[in-house]
Amino acid sequence: MRMLPGWCRWTSTTFMATLAAALALVTGASIALANGATDSTQTTTAATAVTAGDTTSGIAPAMSCAGVSALDLASSVPGAPFEFTSAAVMSADDNTLGDWAACDVKGVIAPQIHFELRLPQTGWQGNYLQVGCGGLCGNVNVGSAPASSGCVPLTDGAFAVASSDEGHYQGGGLFSTDPTLRADFGYKSDHLLAQVAKVIVQKYYGQAAEHSYFDGCSQGGHQALTEAQRYPTDFDGIIAGAPANNFTALNTFSHAWTAQSVFLNGGPATITTADLTPLHNAVLKGCGATDGVIVDPLSCTWDPASIKCRTGQTSTASDFCLTADQVTTLRRIYSGPTDEHGKLLYPGYQLRGSELNWAGIIIPTTATGTTGDMNFVRETIRYQVFDSPQPALTYKDVKFTAAYFKKIMQPNEGMYDATDPDLTAFKKAGGKLILWHGLGDQHIPAVGTMAYYNAVEKVMGGSAKTEDFARLFLLPGVAHCGGGQGPDTFDALTAMVDWVTEGKAPASLLTKTVDSSGKVTASRPTYPFPYTAQNTTSGPADQADSYTPVLSKAEANLTLNWLGSFRSGYETVGNWVHGEWVVSKGKA
């Protein structure tokens, strides 16, 4: 069944939904009988799933929810045996995805990838959505999709939705000491879940999903790009938010650099959360921001030394200034991790204007406190990047040298990183990709995503040939996967479905600020990179129609002196020659 343009915005039903529901009654009953079903519950469920006058029912199930757990599908997906642990009806009141009852299916893919799949009892429109997880995962969270706010069919049950724990039980890095679990987290689990979930969907409804989508942010964005690069036919449309795709360098060099910069020379923190508001105000002023958000932070080169304390001056709330150590800390944070030759060890750095989002992640509450960056480095350096556990290591042990970069990166690129810019197979399969990133991201610098997109453009033959299947949207002021100072609520799923089913590439995404009561208090468009939304009309800053697209020269001309490179995450690493790896391509 093919959807009409803008179908995620539907608020009423159509003749197509009614027709599909009617056809499903006949198809579902026939399949149940063909499978040898003699249980009257099974055929009755299919026959009563669509009630008289109900035009929102969509495609009806072909079997009962209770019957799912009795299915033996262990051999249906080669290389991915799986079993069900439960299948039970979830009421609409209990479903955090929307107002629809679901057959809530839980199971395990060998060896221990736990998953959950919610199958709409009514309203299914032939679509499958897989959602990613965050951090190092370790639990199944299928209750939300990060870039789908306002997509009515998602809240009405038009999608079957699934997610997994990436193959382990807890959020730390200890699982990576097992090579199988390391691979499941690194690149395998989402591909296996996609295969398994599609088999279950086909059995439950008596027909395959017509279109499949992926939506993830952070580690979920990493998962999304892994799918596009390694398994280009799994999904028709992929939404990758704030992707941790350069995972190894991010969780070692980037996070350790900020931690060592804040706790300068191993001492107490030079900056605490109490400094962030006056610092942020100084940055806004220095970058010429007039509405509390820096629209094009890449173009701002404000130097912290411009507010360095004069001799004898003491910083106060009304006369804020920075000590020499604070200037050093901030310059390091804004410049990113570099080796002894000045080359970046991660292709990114914190952008000016992100300061308020640093609290607890980059900056501690007190001078002797801890930060999120310290914790991320600890899990990675101890358990994820070496062949054997190194439980005594901390962020202080990371060295910012070319030799240490080689030591960390060379063995791990084919495991954790999704940095391959060659998306030829994904494009050939008809795949569409929406990348998005908050410019105020305190966890994963948005510059890294810009750099990856530039690499994609170079490999794919330029901006025009890239834009016809992949686009990047940058959200001013927005923190990691949401929050921050800019409008952070938006619906990329509508845009993606329109692109996949109707060929309508998104010319912009409308972002909104929504208060606790659900009221929209501000709206702003975001345009495909390298264009920014500038208020060229002098209209209200909180209204989207005040903005027009303006080319960002800083984004268009972005260059990075980076020690690494974007290439296949599953190349066979060869010799280290003149500061680069000489490699030969080959599947892992």
Side-chain angles (χ1 to χ4, degrees):
M1 182 173 60
R2 191 170 180 81
M3 299 301 164
L4 296 176
W7 71 278
C8 266
R9 292 181 289 272
W10 284 5
T11 55
S12 60
T13 57
T14 67
F15 169 74
M16 290 179 69
T18 308
L19 176 62
L23 290 173
L25 288 177
V26 179
T27 304
S30 299
I31 290 174
L33 292 174
N35 288 337
T38 56
D39 183 356
S40 60
T41 304
Q42 198 161 345
T43 54
T44 301
T45 301
T48 59
V50 183
T51 59
D54 181 4
T55 58
T56 65
S57 298
I59 302 168
M63 61 182 297
S64 70
C65 183
V68 172
S69 57
L71 294 172
D72 184 1
L73 303 176
S75 62
S76 59
V77 180
F82 69 96
E83 294 182 351
F84 298 106
T85 57
S86 66
V89 174
M90 170 184 286
S91 71
D93 291 338
D94 293 331
N95 191 355
T96 54
L97 283 167
D99 188 23
W100 45 280
C103 178
D104 188 40
V105 178
K106 297 179 181 179
V108 182
I109 306 168
Q112 58 175 50
I113 302 170
H114 292 79
F115 70 89
E116 182 177 355
L117 170 62
R118 295 184 187 177
L119 301 161
Q121 296 284 75
T122 59
W124 189 58
Q125 300 292 326
N127 291 280
Y128 171 65
L129 174 66
Q130 192 164 310
V131 295
C133 52
L136 297 180
C137 303
N139 61 81
V140 182
N141 182 10
V142 73
S144 63
S148 63
S149 177
C151 184
V152 174
L154 179 62
T155 59
D156 282 355
F159 294 86
V161 186
S163 190
S164 81
D165 64 0
E166 294 284 275
H168 57 276
Y169 296 111
Q170 39 71 42
L174 193 62
F175 70 89
S176 285
T177 59
D178 181 278
T180 298
L181 302 188
R182 179 182 290 201
D184 283 346
F185 172 79
Y187 59 90
K188 288 176 61 178
S189 58
D190 287 289
H191 174 59
L192 298 179
L193 175 58
Q195 293 179 300
V196 167
K198 290 176 184 180
V199 167
I200 300 171
V201 166
Q202 184 165 16
K203 287 289 184 182
Y204 187 66
Y205 294 107
Q207 65 180 72
E210 183 177 359
H211 293 296
S212 298
Y213 303 91
F214 191 98
D215 182 9
C217 190
S218 191
Q219 171 60 16
H222 177 193
Q223 295 166 252
L225 289 181
T226 298
E227 281 294 306
Q229 294 167 20
R230 288 183 181 261
Y231 309 105
T233 61
D234 277 357
F235 297 98
D236 303 298
I238 292 176
I239 304 169
N245 60 310
N246 207 322
F247 180 93
T248 309
L250 172 72
N251 282 351
T252 49
F253 298 105
S254 181
H255 291 329
W257 178 266
T258 56
Q260 289 190 27
S261 299
V262 171
F263 297 93
L264 203 58
N265 300 319
T270 59
I271 298 174
T272 66
T273 53
D275 300 310
L276 294 183
T277 295
L279 170 63
H280 181 66
N281 290 337
V283 175
L284 292 179
K285 181 179 179 180
C287 294
T290 58
D291 62 355
V293 172
I294 302 175
V295 175
D296 187 9
L298 202 63
S299 68
C300 179
T301 58
W302 175 81
D303 186 354
S306 65
I307 56 169
K308 183 180 178 180
C309 297
R310 301 180 301 275
T311 302
Q313 181 185 7
T314 300
S315 181
T316 64
S318 59
D319 189 20
F320 180 73
C321 64
L322 299 170
T323 67
D325 282 349
Q326 288 176 323
V327 169
T328 298
T329 291
L330 290 169
R331 281 178 167 175
R332 284 169 59 94
I333 291 174
Y334 292 137
S335 66
T338 54
D339 70 0
E340 68 272 32
H341 306 296
K343 286 193 172 184
L344 284 167
L345 301 171
Y346 175 80
Y349 39 80
Q350 283 296 320
L351 290 167
R352 290 160 176 80
S354 62
E355 298 78 21
L356 291 182
N357 305 325
W358 296 355
I361 304 303
I362 296 176
I363 304 300
T365 302
T366 65
T368 57
T370 60
T371 67
D373 280 353
M374 294 165 58
N375 295 330
F376 272 111
V377 176
R378 181 186 63 202
E379 295 301 310
T380 299
I381 203 74
R382 289 183 176 185
Y383 305 121
Q384 296 193 281
V385 296
F386 295 116
D387 290 337
S388 60
Q390 306 290 323
L393 295 182
T394 73
Y395 75 94
K396 297 179 182 179
D397 295 298
V398 175
K399 300 176 179 64
F400 303 102
T401 65
Y404 198 76
F405 183 79
K406 175 186 176 182
K407 180 179 180 179
I408 294 294
M409 297 298 295
Q410 187 172 2
N412 292 293
E413 282 190 314
M415 181 62 66
Y416 297 120
D417 298 334
T419 56
D420 187 357
D422 187 351
L423 300 180
T424 302
F426 180 67
K427 179 179 181 179
K428 185 177 180 180
K432 302 292 185 282
L433 173 65
I434 290 177
L435 280 158
W436 67 274
H437 210 133
L439 290 170
D441 195 318
Q442 71 278 36
H443 282 283
I444 304 174
V447 178
T449 301
M450 298 183 214
Y452 173 71
Y453 189 80
N454 278 344
V456 172
E457 287 187 322
K458 183 177 180 180
V459 171
M460 300 304 295
S463 59
K465 291 183 178 180
T466 301
E467 285 183 350
D468 63 6
F469 83 99
R471 298 190 176 195
L472 167 62
F473 296 88
L474 301 172
L475 283 58
V478 174
H480 186 62
C481 294
Q485 297 73 54
D488 66 330
T489 301
F490 62 101
D491 175 18
L493 187 53
T494 290
M496 179 56 75
V497 171
D498 287 348
W499 200 0
V500 167
T501 62
E502 303 299 327
K504 295 171 55 178
S508 65
L509 295 177
L510 179 64
T511 63
K512 302 175 183 178
T513 299
V514 181
D515 65 19
S516 58
S517 68
K519 179 182 178 182
V520 175
T521 59
S523 61
R524 183 186 302 227
T526 177
Y527 298 103
F529 173 87
Y531 286 85
T532 61
Q534 300 280 356
N535 188 343
T536 57
T537 68
S538 299
D542 59 358
Q543 293 184 15
D545 57 8
S546 298
Y547 296 86
T548 58
V550 175
L551 177 69
S552 165
K553 293 181 180 179
E555 291 179 3
N557 298 320
L558 174 65
T559 58
L560 297 172
N561 185 17
W562 178 34
L563 184 58
S565 65
F566 289 108
R567 60 177 179 275
S568 173
Y570 39 93
E571 287 173 335
T572 302
V573 177
N575 298 316
W576 180 259
V577 179
H578 301 304
E580 294 184 354
W581 286 299
V582 177
V583 298
S584 57
K585 257 195 166 180
K587 297 288 184 180

